[in-house]
Amino acid sequence: MRLHRLDITAFGPFGATQEIDFDALSAAGLFLLHGPTGAGKTSVLDAVCYALYGAVPGARQSPGTSLRSDHAPVDLPTEVRLELTVGGRRLEITRRPAQPRPKKRGGGHTTEKAQSLLRVYDAEQGWQAQSRSHQEIGEEITQLIGMSREQFCQVVLLPQGDFARFLRADAEARGKLLGRLFDTRRFAAVEERLAELRRIAENQVRAGDDQILALAQRIAQAAGPAGAEYPMPQVQPGEPGLADAVLEWAATARSSARERLDIAAQVLSAAESRHVAARSALDSERELAALQQRYAETRRRAAASEAGRSGHDEDQDQLRRARRADRVAPALELRDEAERAYRRASAARDRSRSRLPGTLADAGAEQLTALERGLREELGGLDAARRAERRSADIDSERTALERQARADDELIRDAEGWLAGWEDTRTGLLARIEAAQEAATRAEALAGRLDPARRRLEAARRRDALAAEAAGAEDRLGEAREHALGTREHWLDVRERRLRDIAAELARGLVEGEACAVCGSADHPRPARAGDGHVDQATEDAAEAAHRRAEHARTEAEHALGSVRERYAAARAEAVETADTAADADAGRAVDPSVATLAALVDTLAREHAQAYRTAAGTHTAREALTAAEREQAQRAEDRQQAERRVSARTSRREGLDVEQASLEEVLVQARGGSASVTEHAALLQNRVVLLAEAATTVREEESAAARLKEADDRLADAAFRAGFDTPQAAAETLLGDLGQRALQHRIDAWQAEAAAVADRLAETGARAAADRAPAAPDAAQQVHDRAERLLRDASGVLASARERCAELGRLSRRAAEEVRGLGPVREEHERVARLAGLTAGTSADNERKMRLESYVLAARLEQVAAAATARLRRMSSGRYELVHSDARAGGRRSGLGLHVIDAWTGRERDTATLSGGETFFASLALALGLADVVTDEAGGVRLDTLFIDEGFGSLDEQTLDEVLDVLDSLRERDRSVGIVSHVGDLRRRIPAQLEVVKERDGSAVRHRVGDGISD
């Protein structure tokens, strides 16, 4: 990586734009960055780091700090542009941090989002934009450089003070720095995973023992009395011999339960015999009692049947007479119907005559019909008078309508005049509504521009939380995949070792008598090797190797999946903390990781304000329509008032014409009304009289017809009674019975006859008669004996069933206990294996002699590489006196692994780095920093670093040592590197001609280039 050009605008102490030409400075290989304290030398390095990674090193990126220069004008945005070559590509990175700017509308400031731009130089097309995404640019730069921001700040921007502290630090502090640089978190994760597996396995063993003891408790409950005879063994989870003791005790309980089962079976057999005998005696007594009771009941029924014989004879005589009367029933019904018809006709005649005048009370049908015809003729002559009367009523209705219209027009005129009086105030109010709606539309547009970014941040925060959980799951799956891969590798190596151990036997199987051996060449094979126990063949080894490769592939896939989830989590997290557009949004998102609830509250507030403004703005069209409608209404009301005034004059002439027409009609109506109030009333009176006369004539005719039919029915009834043998029709009517009465009589007759026949049959039974001659039966006593035998049988059956269930349950629980014991064996072995590995990686095992953790062991190997690389330069800086070496010796009671000592060639002794002087400490830490840079660069894939920066510390060196240190730094040019030294030392200004001076001025710092003898701003 080589830096070409850096442009800094309104950044840190630089109030204006400053341009730094690294190509000119790097031409000499070594250049000096100097200036007074506080001028901004470190800010130049911060700008390089910010351009590459979007953040400045270390604590200078703490929350609340701003990258914007206080000297910059308000209209000059903060910007850093870096041009560099990395990975064979020439890039230009431009970044702007989140910063306030004046609002485009109104007063005050708003916060502008951070911006990034990546351009790539093409020899044919020039600069081409590649991306504007912070995430894409960060991933691209990190991939090209091959280092994170922390590694870059340690390797390219060499912080000499940090390495001096690293040189004197204890093992724990060195471990933290090396862990950040070399990312050994995966080894710490292995330690944690093994410790977790040990805890899980231990819990599984204890849980298995608890399960076995729980089964023992259930066995004790199921054993019942047998459990009381043989108490359960008193053992605790985890104690040796627990499983054997429980299994032995369960076998004893099962044996005792089987003995009790045999005894219960014998008791049940005796109870069954007693129950059969008692049941037979009870059935005999019940049968005798039933026969005796049947005979007694038959005697009672015979006496009752004989007592009802006289009633039976009377029922038969009544049934015969009723059947003769059935022949007279049709004539009786006909006469009753004729009598009812006559009474109805007489009543109707009386009602109709009661409504006629007294002179017509005895009038016949012909007289009433003649009067009806005369009234109908008079009624037909009133039609013309009815039409005149309807016209007079229409005139009255029309006059009323004219009065109503007059009142409506008067109301319309008054309403129009009142409305038109307030027209100007209405128009002014509607214009104000239109103006307010337009302002709300502007506000809604501004709120919409803030709402979409807030929603995107909320969605990003939700994705961030979901991806955090997904990342935890991916880490668990990666741990499982690593453990599985390690297990398959161990199995493969074990199989391979066993095969190699017996490879001679495998070769011996291919020997043929008389043919040369492929190994020794001899045709004699006196003692061919034989395979030992556990020998495996080539196929088994290949299968184990294939399983190991599949596990390694699964582990790689899990690592890639975890990396992908972490990248998406970082992207969502970065999107969720993007700087807001307004101060209000910035308050909601000021936290490093704003919560979903905070962003949801911000979105809800913006959505509510936007909805309110949108609703107000939506009334613009309505307000305009209301103004248009009001203007139309004003014109319409003026027109309506003029029309109403014209209608008033037209109604006056119409009233006069109606008055003349109604006067002529009234003369005709006076003659036609007679004594009634109106022609219609007089016609109604005549119509009522016609109806009464017609009804009276009809009822008189119907009454005469009904009297004739009644006389004819009486004659037929008398003849029918005589033929049926009755003296009078009244006697036949009294004897008559309906169908229900006859069926009831027949039912009583049939029932008496059936009962008499049944009693005669039962009296003829010999068994019942013989039982009646015996002593009375005693079924209650036999029932008591049977109940006692049955109760004893149930008790014996319950005891036997309980014994069987107890034996079955004991067998089932014993089998489960045996299965639990067998299943716990592999778990216990796994616990022992995992505990041994966890202790080894944690440094607590006796097998780990130096008590080194796995992560410390890996870091110790890295520290050895760093010490070796640093020693190559330290020898030159110290004239061959000092070497840096790694020490894994333990210091006091602490663990060993990350010690760092210096070997003094003058004394041949190895001593601690804390014994070096100030100048020795500087060049030793400088050599250590350069060595670390080489190792980290190789770790990052060998990315070439053509530009380095070294910060301070040269003032502690004497002149000779300074020459040697500068010679070492100058030797870096052999690999075409350029080194920038940040220092206050005045002697360096004379020794290093290429310089970049940072000048502190009142309106902000500025930079000046010095190349050779020239100075440029």
Side-chain angles (χ1 to χ4, degrees):
M1 180 194 72
R2 177 178 294 277
L3 306 182
H4 299 293
R5 181 183 181 88
L6 177 66
D7 295 339
I8 308 174
T9 303
F11 182 88
F14 303 105
T17 300
Q18 305 296 323
E19 300 178 357
I20 301 175
D21 188 355
F22 284 113
D23 285 338
L25 294 172
S26 302
L30 196 65
F31 62 90
L32 179 66
L33 176 59
H34 66 94
T37 300
K41 301 185 298 297
T42 305
S43 296
V44 175
L45 307 184
D46 290 348
V48 173
C49 183
Y50 178 74
L52 292 173
Y53 295 97
V56 297
R60 297 191 290 277
Q61 186 65 22
S62 60
T65 59
S66 175
L67 301 178
R68 181 170 176 79
S69 175
D70 296 335
H71 302 285
V74 295
D75 58 347
L76 182 63
T78 299
E79 181 180 280
V80 176
R81 179 181 291 110
L82 176 65
E83 185 179 339
L84 73 159
T85 297
V86 58
R89 302 167 63 189
R90 187 153 185 155
L91 308 176
E92 180 189 80
I93 308 171
T94 304
R95 292 189 187 268
R96 288 187 178 185
Q99 54 190 304
R101 62 168 175 78
K103 291 184 176 179
K104 297 180 179 179
R105 296 181 181 178
H109 291 75
T110 184
T111 302
E112 189 178 56
K113 291 183 180 180
Q115 301 178 22
S116 300
L117 173 63
L118 175 63
R119 298 200 302 170
V120 180
Y121 182 76
D122 184 86
E124 298 179 355
Q125 300 179 358
W127 290 104
Q128 300 292 320
Q130 184 171 353
S131 177
R132 291 183 178 273
S133 169
H134 303 300
Q135 180 181 356
E136 291 179 358
I137 295 175
E139 293 174 353
E140 181 73 13
I141 296 302
T142 302
Q143 182 178 3
L144 289 173
I145 298 178
M147 288 181 284
S148 64
R149 176 170 62 93
E150 291 77 9
Q151 291 176 322
F152 180 84
C153 295
Q154 293 287 345
V155 173
V156 179
L157 310 179
L158 297 178
Q160 185 271 334
D162 289 350
F163 281 95
R165 287 190 294 272
F166 177 80
L167 195 65
R168 296 190 176 96
D170 56 12
E172 182 177 359
R174 288 194 186 103
K176 290 180 180 180
L177 176 61
L178 292 173
R180 288 196 306 269
L181 289 178
F182 294 107
D183 191 15
T184 57
R185 290 175 295 180
R186 59 186 183 276
F187 300 102
V190 170
E191 298 176 19
E192 296 175 358
R193 179 59 178 168
L194 287 173
E196 180 182 2
L197 291 176
R198 177 177 59 189
R199 290 191 298 271
I200 293 173
E202 182 177 359
N203 292 335
Q204 289 176 345
V205 170
R206 289 185 175 274
D209 287 345
D210 290 337
Q211 185 67 21
I212 293 174
L213 288 178
L215 288 173
Q217 291 288 348
R218 295 178 61 184
I219 290 173
Q221 294 176 0
E229 294 177 2
Y230 304 98
M232 189 177 69
Q234 300 298 319
V235 289
Q236 298 298 324
E239 291 185 7
L242 180 146
D244 295 337
V246 170
L247 293 179
E248 182 179 357
W249 170 78
T252 302
R254 290 198 307 275
S255 176
S256 177
R258 282 193 292 270
E259 291 177 358
R260 293 176 180 273
L261 176 62
D262 296 338
I263 295 173
Q266 296 174 1
V267 172
L268 177 62
S269 178
E272 287 176 346
S273 299
R274 288 193 296 270
H275 178 264
V276 170
R279 182 66 188 180
S280 178
L282 176 61
D283 292 342
S284 298
E285 288 298 318
R286 284 179 175 175
E287 184 178 359
L288 177 61
L291 290 173
Q292 291 175 348
Q293 183 179 3
R294 179 180 178 84
Y295 185 77
E297 182 182 358
T298 303
R299 298 297 298 174
R300 287 193 301 272
R301 289 172 60 185
S305 176
E306 187 63 27
R309 182 179 294 277
S310 60
H312 168 66
D313 295 339
E314 292 176 358
D315 288 340
Q316 285 181 330
D317 181 63
Q318 184 181 3
L319 181 60
R320 284 193 298 270
R321 296 177 70 248
R323 287 174 177 172
R324 291 203 316 270
D326 286 343
R327 297 197 292 269
V328 187
L332 285 171
E333 292 178 1
L334 181 62
R335 197 271 176 188
D336 291 341
E337 178 61 31
E339 185 178 7
R340 287 193 295 271
Y342 175 73
R343 285 197 294 269
R344 286 197 299 271
S346 297
R349 180 200 63 186
D350 294 340
R351 286 195 300 271
S352 63
R353 282 184 173 181
S354 66
R355 293 195 292 270
L356 296 176
T359 57
L360 299 177
D362 296 329
E366 291 77 8
Q367 183 182 357
L368 294 174
T369 301
L371 291 174
E372 177 190 355
R373 284 195 298 270
L375 291 177
R376 288 187 183 276
E377 291 174 359
E378 184 181 356
L379 184 61
L382 294 177
D383 290 341
R386 287 176 179 175
R387 289 193 295 273
E389 188 176 42
R390 285 196 297 271
R391 176 54 186 162
S392 178
D394 291 342
I395 291 173
D396 291 337
S397 299
E398 187 173 357
R399 185 182 288 108
T400 302
L402 291 174
E403 292 297 333
R404 187 168 58 253
Q405 293 173 4
R407 289 193 300 272
D409 285 341
D410 292 341
E411 180 67 23
L412 187 148
I413 292 171
R414 288 194 301 272
D415 183 59
E417 290 176 350
W419 191 90
L420 292 171
W423 163 242
E424 290 300 329
D425 294 339
T426 302
R427 185 172 182 273
T428 303
L430 291 173
L431 290 174
R433 281 180 58 192
I434 293 173
E435 184 177 356
Q438 290 175 343
E439 292 177 356
T442 303
R443 187 166 64 257
E445 182 179 359
L447 289 171
R450 294 167 55 194
L451 181 59
D452 289 341
R455 284 174 173 164
R456 288 195 297 272
R457 294 178 64 205
L458 173 60
E459 183 63 25
R462 288 172 176 162
R463 291 199 311 273
R464 176 200 63 198
D465 294 348
L467 288 171
E470 186 177 348
E475 289 176 354
D476 294 340
R477 289 191 293 274
L478 177 58
E480 294 174 357
R482 286 172 172 168
E483 181 181 356
H484 180 59
L486 182 60
T488 55
R489 176 176 175 81
E490 292 177 353
H491 176 66
W492 171 49
L493 294 177
D494 178 65
V495 169
R496 185 176 184 181
E497 181 180 357
R498 286 155 54 194
R499 178 169 177 260
L500 292 176
R501 186 171 57 244
D502 294 334
I503 193 67
E506 184 175 336
L507 294 174
R509 285 198 299 268
L511 294 176
V512 178
E513 188 64 31
E515 295 184 4
C517 176
V519 178
C520 64
S522 174
D524 296 329
H525 316 298
R527 289 189 303 274
R530 298 184 180 274
D533 295 336
H535 174 67
V536 294
D537 54 8
Q538 178 70 37
T540 304
E541 180 184 357
D542 293 342
E545 183 180 6
H548 169 60
R549 289 177 179 174
R550 288 194 298 272
E552 283 293 326
H553 179 71
R555 179 187 61 79
T556 304
E557 291 294 330
E559 289 177 349
H560 291 168
L562 177 59
S564 175
V565 171
R566 284 176 173 171
E567 290 175 359
R568 287 186 284 134
Y569 170 77
R573 182 181 179 190
E575 186 176 354
V577 299
E578 285 185 353
T579 306
D581 287 337
T582 65
D585 298 351
D587 292 339
R590 186 168 293 154
V592 175
D593 284 322
S595 67
V596 172
T598 301
L599 293 176
L602 173 62
V603 170
D604 291 342
T605 300
L606 292 176
R608 188 167 52 253
E609 294 177 357
H610 175 264
Q612 180 63 33
Y614 182 80
R615 285 193 296 269
T616 304
T620 303
H621 181 67
T622 304
R624 293 185 184 276
E625 288 184 344
L627 177 60
T628 303
E631 291 174 346
R632 287 197 302 268
E633 184 176 3
Q634 185 268 342
Q636 184 64 38
R637 285 180 179 269
E639 178 65 22
D640 291 345
R641 182 177 60 180
Q642 294 176 1
Q643 293 291 338
E645 291 172 350
R646 287 194 291 269
R647 287 194 299 272
V648 169
S649 60
R651 277 193 298 272
T652 302
S653 60
R654 178 59 178 165
R655 284 196 192 96
E656 294 174 354
L658 292 175
D659 291 340
V660 173
E661 184 181 0
Q662 193 170 33
S664 64
L665 292 174
E666 190 64 27
E667 295 176 358
V668 177
L669 292 176
V670 170
Q671 298 176 0
R673 290 191 187 109
S676 300
S678 64
V679 175
T680 303
E681 182 178 348
H682 183 60
L685 180 61
L686 294 177
Q687 180 67 33
N688 186 41
R689 291 176 179 174
V690 170
V691 172
L692 291 176
L693 290 171
E695 182 181 355
T698 301
T699 56
V700 169
R701 294 189 188 95
E702 290 178 352
E703 188 270 340
E704 293 174 351
S705 176
R709 288 194 299 271
L710 177 59
K711 184 179 181 304
E712 183 181 357
D714 287 338
D715 296 340
R716 291 182 179 179
L717 175 60
D719 183 62
F722 175 77
R723 291 180 180 180
F726 293 98
D727 296 336
T728 63
Q730 183 65 29
E734 293 174 355
T735 308
L736 186 65
L737 287 177
D739 291 340
L740 292 177
Q742 293 183 18
R743 283 198 296 272
L745 284 175
Q746 185 66 49
H747 179 70
R748 288 201 299 270
I749 293 170
D750 295 341
W752 186 92
Q753 293 175 351
E755 177 66 11
V759 168
D761 292 340
R762 292 180 65 171
L763 288 174
E765 294 176 356
T766 57
R769 185 184 299 273
D773 296 337
R774 294 175 61 183
D780 293 337
Q783 181 67 47
Q784 292 177 359
V785 173
H786 173 268
D787 292 343
R788 185 166 53 254
E790 187 174 17
R791 185 169 56 255
L792 293 175
L793 177 61
R794 285 198 302 269
D795 293 343
S797 298
V799 172
L800 179 61
S802 177
R804 286 174 177 170
E805 292 177 358
R806 185 175 292 113
C807 288
E809 182 67 9
L810 287 174
R812 187 182 65 83
L813 292 176
S814 298
R815 288 191 296 274
R816 284 192 56 186
E819 292 173 358
E820 290 290 339
V821 170
R822 288 194 298 271
L824 189 61
V827 175
R828 195 181 302 278
E829 294 176 359
E830 178 67 13
H831 170 252
E832 295 174 356
R833 185 179 66 85
V834 171
R836 186 167 58 253
L837 287 175
L840 187 63
T841 57
T844 58
S845 172
D847 297 334
N848 192 333
E849 296 179 356
R850 298 189 178 276
K851 305 301 180 183
M852 291 178 64
R853 294 171 48 242
L854 177 62
E855 184 180 16
S856 299
Y857 178 79
V858 175
L859 292 177
R862 296 298 188 192
L863 187 58
E864 287 182 357
Q865 297 175 354
V866 171
T871 297
R873 294 184 175 87
L874 181 59
R875 287 173 180 170
R876 293 185 58 185
M877 295 180 185
S878 61
S879 300
R881 179 179 180 181
Y882 293 117
E883 294 181 8
L884 283 175
V885 294
H886 160 251
S887 172
D888 57 4
R890 300 177 63 183
R894 299 181 180 180
R895 299 180 180 182
S896 61
L898 296 178
L900 193 63
H901 290 174
V902 62
I903 297 178
D904 189 346
W906 292 1
T907 63
R909 303 285 300 270
E910 179 179 329
R911 53 192 172 96
D912 194 89
T913 54
T915 61
L916 296 174
S917 64
E920 292 171 341
T921 298
F922 166 71
F923 62 70
S925 61
L926 177 60
L928 185 64
L930 293 174
L932 183 61
D934 291 341
V935 175
V936 172
T937 300
D938 294 339
E939 176 74 12
V943 177
R944 182 180 180 87
L945 301 177
D946 298 320
T947 305
L948 299 175
F949 293 91
I950 302 175
D951 190 1
E952 289 300 345
F954 292 88
S956 59
L957 303 179
D958 56 37
E959 184 174 355
Q960 179 180 356
T961 304
L962 180 61
D963 288 339
E964 293 174 350
V965 169
L966 291 178
D967 288 343
V968 172
L969 295 178
D970 191 57
S971 67
L972 296 177
R973 291 188 300 173
E974 297 174 358
R975 291 189 286 178
D976 198 20
R977 281 184 176 177
S978 60
V979 181
I981 299 175
V982 183
S983 179
H984 296 278
V985 179
D987 191 34
L988 291 176
R989 301 177 198 169
R990 296 188 298 271
R991 294 171 178 266
I992 303 175
Q995 300 177 13
L996 179 65
E997 182 180 6
V998 183
V999 182
K1000 184 164 57 176
E1001 298 176 351
R1002 189 174 187 84
D1003 56 352
S1005 299
V1007 298
R1008 297 176 180 174
H1009 293 75
R1010 181 190 299 274
V1011 181
D1013 295 332
I1015 300 176
S1016 63
D1017 293 336

